[in-house]
C-alpha cells in the first residue's frame, strides 16, 4: 500500500517525546507505518536493549536524526550483518505527526505527472480558442478580446450630407404635418417657457384711411378710362 498520502499522530505522546521515547511512540500498534514483525518488536518482547539489534538479521527501526522537541527522523532498514544494512524507508515526525518521506522515484514521478498535467491543460485551453472555417481557415478567438471590444468606445460614423431631393421631401412633409396639426404652444425665444397660441397678443391690423368722395369718383373715372382704353381718332372731312 502507498503510505505517502497518510499521516498518524497520538496527542497523548506529544508532551513526552524525546530521544529515548520516540521509538516507543513509533512502535504503537495503531501506527500504520510500523511493521510488527521487525527486530524491534522481538527485542521489546524479550526486554532487551536496542544494542542487541546489531547482532540480529532482519528489518529494524533506528533513530537517524533528532532535533528535540520538534523533529525526529526514523529509518527502516534491512540488516544483513553487524556492519551491513540496506535502507528501506525514512519517516519524519514533526510536532508529533508521523509522515513517510517519499523516495526519489516517487518524487520524480510526481513532478513528471504534474508537468504533463500542466502541459495537457495548456493544450486543452489553447484548443478551446481555436476556430476553423472552410472559407477563412484557422484563427484564434479569445474571450478577453470580446470583452475589450465591448468596453472599447465605438467610433462615431460620419453622417453623410443629405441631398436636395431629400431636403425638399422633408420640408414638404413637415409643412403638411404643420397644416394638419397646428402647434398649440409657441416658444418665442430659446430657453423660455412655451406659451399657448391662444394667449399670444395679436397686433392690431392697420385701419384703412378714410377716402373722400371726390377722390373716390376720380379713382373710379380713372379706372373706367383705363379699362375702356383711349378714345378713337376720327377722320376729318375736307
Amino acid at each position: 500500500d502507498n503510505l505517502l498520502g497518510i499521516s498518524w499522530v497520538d496527542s497523548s505522546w506529544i508532551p513526552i517525546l524525546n530521544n529515548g521515547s520516540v521509538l516507543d511512540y513509533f512502535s504503537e500498534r495503531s501506527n500504520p507505518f510500523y511493521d510488527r514483525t521487525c527486530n524491534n518488536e522481538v527485542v521489546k518482547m524479550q526486554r532487551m536493549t536496542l544494542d542487541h539489534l546489531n547482532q540480529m538479521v532482519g528489518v529494524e527501526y533506528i533513530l537517524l536524526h533528532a532535533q528535540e522537541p520538534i523533529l525526529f527522523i526514523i529509518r527502516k532498514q534491512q540488516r544483513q550483518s553487524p556492519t551491513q544494512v540496506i535502507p528501506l524507508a525514512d519517516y519524519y515526525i514533526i510536532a508529533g505527526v508521523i509522515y513517510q518521506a517519499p523516495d526519489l522515484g516517487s518524487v520524480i514521478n510526481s513532478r513528471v505527472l504534474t508537468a504533463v498535467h500542466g502541459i495537457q491543460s495548456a493544450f486543452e485551453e489553447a484548443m478551446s480558442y481555436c476556430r476553423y472555417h472552410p472559407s477563412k481557415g484557422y484563427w484564434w478567438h479569445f474571450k478577453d478580446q470580446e470583452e475589450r471590444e465591448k468596453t472599447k468606445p465605438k467610433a462615431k460614423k460620419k453622417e453623410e450630407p443629405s441631398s436636395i431631393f431629400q431636403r425638399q421631401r422633408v420640408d414638404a412633409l413637415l409643412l403638411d404635418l404643420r397644416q394638419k396639426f397646428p402647434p398649440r404652444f409657441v416658444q418665442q425665444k430659446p430657453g423660455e417657457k412655451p406659451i399657448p397660441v391662444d394667449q399670444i397678443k395679436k397686433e392690431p391690423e392697420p385701419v384703412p384711411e378714410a377716402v373722400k368722395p371726390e377722390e373716390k369718383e376720380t379713382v373710379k373715372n380713372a379706372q373706367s378710362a383705363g379699362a375702356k382704353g383711349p378714345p378713337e381718332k376720327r377722320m376729318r372731312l375736307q
Side-chain angles (χ1 to χ4, degrees), residues 219-231:
V219 170
K220 288 182 179 179
N221 295 333
Q223 290 178 353
S224 61
K228 293 179 179 179

Side-chain angles (χ1 to χ4, degrees), residues 138-188:
Y138 289 94
W139 77 92
W140 298 104
H141 183 75
F142 297 101
K143 296 179 181 178
D144 296 341
Q145 188 175 0
E146 292 182 356
E147 296 178 357
R148 291 174 186 173
E149 291 178 356
K150 290 180 181 179
T151 56
K152 185 178 180 181
K154 295 182 179 179
K156 294 183 179 179
K157 295 182 179 179
K158 294 182 179 180
E159 296 182 358
E160 297 180 358
S162 59
S163 62
I164 298 176
F165 173 76
Q166 292 174 342
R167 291 196 292 271
Q168 290 177 352
R169 292 296 300 167
V170 170
D171 293 341
L173 292 173
L174 292 176
L175 182 61
D176 188 18
L177 291 173
R178 181 181 177 84
Q179 292 175 356
K180 290 182 179 179
F181 307 100
R184 298 181 180 179
F185 296 89
V186 177
Q187 188 177 12
Q188 296 180 351

Side-chain angles (χ1 to χ4, degrees), residues 4 9-10 41 44 51 66 74 108 115 126 136 145 153 162 183 219:
L4 296 176
V9 62
D10 188 353
E41 193 72 13
K44 184 177 180 180
D51 297 335
I74 294 176
I108 294 175
K136 297 181 180 179
Q145 188 175 0
S162 59
V219 170

Side-chain angles (χ1 to χ4, degrees), residues 69-129:
I70 189 69
L71 175 63
F72 302 93
I73 298 177
I74 294 176
R75 172 168 289 179
K76 179 182 179 181
Q77 58 189 12
Q78 177 75 33
R79 181 170 292 279
Q80 297 180 348
S81 67
T83 59
Q84 186 178 3
V85 293
I86 300 174
L88 300 177
D90 289 334
Y91 306 92
Y92 56 95
I93 305 173
I94 299 179
V97 185
I98 302 177
Y99 306 91
Q100 181 176 349
D103 57 303
L104 182 59
S106 300
V107 173
I108 294 175
N109 188 26
S110 176
R111 296 296 177 86
V112 171
L113 289 176
T114 303
V116 171
H117 177 71
I119 295 172
Q120 186 176 1
S121 301
F123 273 111
E124 291 176 356
E125 183 74 14
M127 289 301 296
S128 65
Y129 297 121

